[in-house]
Amino acid sequence: MPVANDGTWRPGICDKDAKANQTRAALHMGDVIKLENRQSTGAAGETPVERRRHSGRAAEHGPRAPATSKYLNLVNATARSAVLSEDALEAVHQASLTILEEIGMDIILPEARDRMKAAGAEVTPGTDRVRFDRGLIMEMLASVPPRFTMHARNPVRNVEIGGDNLVFAQVASAPFVADRDGGRRAGNREGFRKLVKLAQCYDIVHTTGGYPVEPVDIPAPVRHLECLSDLVKLTDKVFHVYSLGRQRNRDGIEIARIGRGISMEQMEREPSLFTIINSSSPLRLDGPMLQGIIEMSSRNQVVVVTPFTLAGAMAPVTIAGALVQQNAEALCGIAFTQMVRKGAPVIYGGFTSNVDMKTGAPAFGTPEYMKAVIAGGQLARKYDIPYRTSNTNASNTLDAQAAYESAFSLWALTQGGGNFIMHSAGWTEGGLTASFEKFILDVDMLQMVAEYLAPLDVSADALGLEAMRDVGPGGHFFGTPHTLARYETAFYSPILSDWRNFEAWTEAGRPTTYDHASRIFKEKLNAYERPPLDPAVEDELDAFVARRKEEGGAPAHL
């Protein structure tokens, strides 16, 4: 069974080959040391190029990133960036409240309008329109918890939301799945299960985010039952339920409760499930989303209110105007969670970007997206509410565009103070496709973010004065005790980067990042081990799913 460095059992980690990887890393570094120790003379008959080949990264010898507990709980203590001055931030805030007061929102559910009216909102008779006094909105925001814990069935996988905490969730809701061998294809249960297994394999993916790909080969009325059951069995992480009718929410809550093996009373004390609530921009909340808020918030489960405001399409073409609309819609949904239940956990979601004005296609990872992400973080911190954003790109394949748009997204969400990051691993084609190779690329980038956020060690030993005394001017540090004690863990070892010289890389067949990612995701799936699950819990889960399927599941049409 996998064991952490502290000797504790850590179920479900897929890196049985971690020790072998560490040995390879040590041998690799040893080659460097031997090379440098003989750099003046070289081995007999060996050219400088051949010596460099010996020191190249062994890119073809298996996965390079064993799961480690240091990625389980990330804290972003860096200073936050700002794109809005205090006056500008207040202007966006006040404009948002003016929208809610003067224009209002269409609330497409009579029960929700009744609850809002009872809380003090103004409902226009005979219509869906509801207007909110700014004082009412701020009163509701005052009861939102600034921090909370989402509980997994494996307590090691609990995630802290809010403050400086940073949580990464897997890609969600793609209609298509892709890998290089199989191409782009409609989502199915096989692809769904493989992507869920990959999420379990990496500690940096803290939660699943929904169905990573929509398994259209499972009938819609029972799809949620089959998929949520798989999420309990194939992972031990927090998961998501879709708000597509109240019955799906209720089934999801019961499945999460069964998976944790707890009572409903404990479930209400310990939020264990989350749902994404998207407004139908501009300025509408539809029935299934409102039902989702009622079902989840009334049971103290987590709601992530996320307007989908694309500047120039469903929001004003200016980023400032789109932010005002995003904020108004988010505040409306967040306030409603508190009308349902004071203190219910909720996250402020931002998903503002621009479109290609020539085609209308969404664009992601753009300068405008970065500004919106950072401004969204400023707004969430103003209200002291946890902040959700996303790792995005609009590339159609695993290429430079996929990498640089994701890099800009990660830069913005890190500097902007994102707490809960959707679509962190596997998103491509603007969310239409879940890519196995992109998943591996994203995991590598997420781990790099985590390493960047790790505090810099400036202890007396780390400052290295004794090592510098030992080496003195003109020497090298490869063979010093200071280096030998640290070389295995001194630097992050990327999963995908190929650091061989050109000759060694050519000799190996010129493998690309796509080649490495394609190989590694297959190796990970081959090494996957299902996390332990109490047989009594599994029996109860199977019985519940069978009963609900026999009853017909949930309505296929909302």
Side-chain angles (χ1 to χ4, degrees):
M1 292 180 180
V3 177
N5 291 334
D6 60 1
T8 57
W9 174 48
R10 294 181 50 240
I13 304 305
C14 302
D15 294 278
K16 297 181 293 184
D17 53 350
K19 185 175 291 185
N21 288 334
Q22 291 170 356
T23 301
R24 281 195 292 271
L27 290 173
H28 159 59
M29 192 64 180
D31 284 343
V32 175
I33 293 169
K34 284 185 282 187
L35 167 63
E36 294 304 324
N37 283 342
R38 65 173 185 257
Q39 60 185 340
S40 298
T41 59
E46 190 175 52
T47 68
V49 167
E50 288 169 335
R51 291 200 303 272
R52 286 174 59 209
R53 285 179 184 172
H54 288 173
S55 68
R57 173 182 175 270
E60 297 303 311
H61 293 291
R64 297 280 300 176
T68 77
S69 58
K70 68 179 178 178
Y71 295 139
L72 285 174
N73 300 288
L74 302 184
V75 174
N76 178 4
T78 61
R80 304 295 184 257
S81 295
V83 295
L84 297 173
S85 67
E86 286 301 316
D87 287 345
L89 186 65
E90 183 65 16
V92 171
H93 165 67
Q94 292 297 337
S96 305
L97 296 180
T98 298
I99 286 176
L100 293 176
E101 272 190 335
E102 297 182 4
I103 302 173
M105 296 272 294
D106 279 355
I107 304 299
I108 319 296
L109 184 70
E111 179 187 354
R113 294 195 296 273
D114 291 344
R115 287 176 179 264
M116 291 174 177
K117 183 176 181 179
E122 176 190 335
V123 178
T124 302
T127 74
D128 298 323
R129 188 64 53 89
V130 181
R131 293 175 176 83
F132 305 85
D133 179 82
R134 62 188 62 212
L136 173 62
I137 292 293
M138 298 311 294
E139 177 189 343
M140 294 297 108
L141 298 188
S143 61
V144 172
R147 295 167 186 80
F148 56 86
T149 301
M150 284 201 288
H151 296 262
R153 71 175 182 84
N154 177 0
V156 172
R157 305 289 192 185
N158 292 353
V159 291
E160 303 297 323
I161 303 296
D164 289 336
N165 294 293
L166 178 58
V167 173
F168 292 120
Q170 185 182 23
V171 61
S173 308
F176 300 101
V177 65
D179 59 55
R180 188 174 59 178
D181 294 342
R184 181 181 184 266
R185 54 202 182 273
N188 55 34
R189 192 170 193 176
E190 179 187 11
F192 166 86
R193 283 177 163 172
K194 285 182 177 179
L195 285 161
V196 169
K197 289 176 181 179
L198 279 180
Q200 177 67 17
C201 287
Y202 288 98
D203 286 348
I204 197 69
V205 181
H206 302 112
T207 80
T208 55
Y211 310 160
V213 65
E214 190 75 21
V216 296
D217 52 342
I218 304 176
V222 299
R223 188 176 301 160
H224 67 293
L225 298 169
E226 298 283 10
C227 289
L228 296 182
S229 176
D230 280 349
L231 288 170
V232 171
K233 294 175 181 179
L234 300 179
T235 80
D236 56 4
K237 303 183 179 187
V238 171
F239 58 92
H240 165 276
V241 63
Y242 287 98
S243 288
L244 296 173
R246 62 176 79 246
Q247 187 59 57
R248 287 179 175 82
N249 291 108
R250 291 172 179 173
D251 287 341
I253 290 168
E254 180 63 6
I255 288 172
R257 183 200 67 77
I258 293 171
R260 288 195 61 207
I262 60 175
S263 67
M264 187 54 71
E265 290 75 19
Q266 184 175 349
M267 179 91 169
E268 290 202 16
R269 293 194 304 270
E270 299 175 349
S272 309
L273 187 69
F274 71 96
T275 191
I276 303 294
I277 299 297
N278 294 124
S279 51
S280 299
S281 304
L283 303 177
R284 286 168 43 126
L285 276 166
D286 65 25
M289 297 289 108
L290 291 159
Q291 288 175 345
I293 292 176
I294 292 169
E295 295 299 325
M296 295 287 282
S297 293
S298 65
R299 293 168 177 82
N300 205 41
Q301 301 307 300
V302 179
V303 168
V304 186
V305 180
T306 309
F308 187 28
T309 39
L310 289 177
M314 299 97 76
V317 73
T318 58
I319 295 300
L323 282 168
V324 168
Q325 184 181 310
Q326 169 191 291
N327 199 49
E329 294 177 8
L331 294 187
C332 175
I334 291 168
F336 185 52
T337 68
Q338 303 307 294
M339 295 175 190
V340 173
R341 178 170 176 157
K342 292 283 188 183
V346 61
I347 298 174
Y348 179 114
F351 207 84
T352 292
S353 192
N354 56 297
V355 298
D356 180 351
M357 296 306 294
K358 295 186 288 292
T359 66
F364 297 106
T366 62
E368 293 79 14
Y369 179 77
M370 295 173 69
K371 290 178 181 179
V373 168
I374 291 173
Q378 290 182 260
L379 288 162
R381 288 192 297 279
K382 178 181 180 66
Y383 309 124
D384 200 15
I385 299 175
Y387 180 40
R388 169 258 160 118
T389 182
S390 302
N391 177 20
T392 62
N393 72 94
S395 177
N396 295 310
T397 188
L398 192 75
D399 59 4
Q401 179 185 343
Y404 68 68
E405 289 179 351
S406 286
F408 281 131
S409 296
L410 291 171
W411 178 11
L413 67 86
T414 302
Q415 296 304 112
N419 299 120
F420 187 68
I421 314 305
M422 286 291 293
H423 312 301
S424 296
W427 162 297
T428 192
E429 200 187 339
L432 290 177
T433 297
S435 162
F436 286 96
E437 288 88 0
K438 181 61 163 53
F439 181 96
I440 299 299
L441 175 64
D442 284 329
V443 163
D444 208 4
M445 295 175 73
L446 298 179
Q447 291 184 167
M448 291 181 192
V449 169
E451 295 289 343
Y452 167 72
L453 295 177
L456 190 64
D457 181 7
V458 291
S459 64
D461 204 29
L463 291 175
L465 293 180
E466 290 305 315
M468 285 181 265
R469 288 191 179 99
D470 290 344
V471 172
H476 70 78
F477 290 81
F478 281 108
T480 66
H482 190 265
T483 298
L484 292 175
R486 295 166 178 78
Y487 72 89
E488 291 181 277
T489 59
F491 311 118
Y492 176 68
S493 182
I495 301 172
L496 294 172
S497 298
D498 195 330
W499 290 339
R500 292 173 291 191
N501 62 46
F502 182 82
E503 293 83 3
W505 174 71
T506 300
E507 188 177 279
R510 301 190 176 193
T512 64
T513 297
Y514 213 157
D515 293 323
H516 295 317
S518 181
R519 170 180 50 81
I520 288 168
F521 93 75
K522 296 167 190 171
E523 292 174 349
K524 277 293 179 183
L525 287 175
N526 288 335
Y528 168 83
E529 291 181 354
R530 202 180 96 161
L533 181 63
D534 186 324
V537 168
E538 187 162 358
D539 288 345
E540 183 181 359
L541 176 60
D542 289 343
F544 174 78
V545 169
R547 175 173 64 81
R548 288 290 300 116
K549 288 173 67 176
E550 181 68 24
E551 293 168 351
H557 302 287
L558 304 179

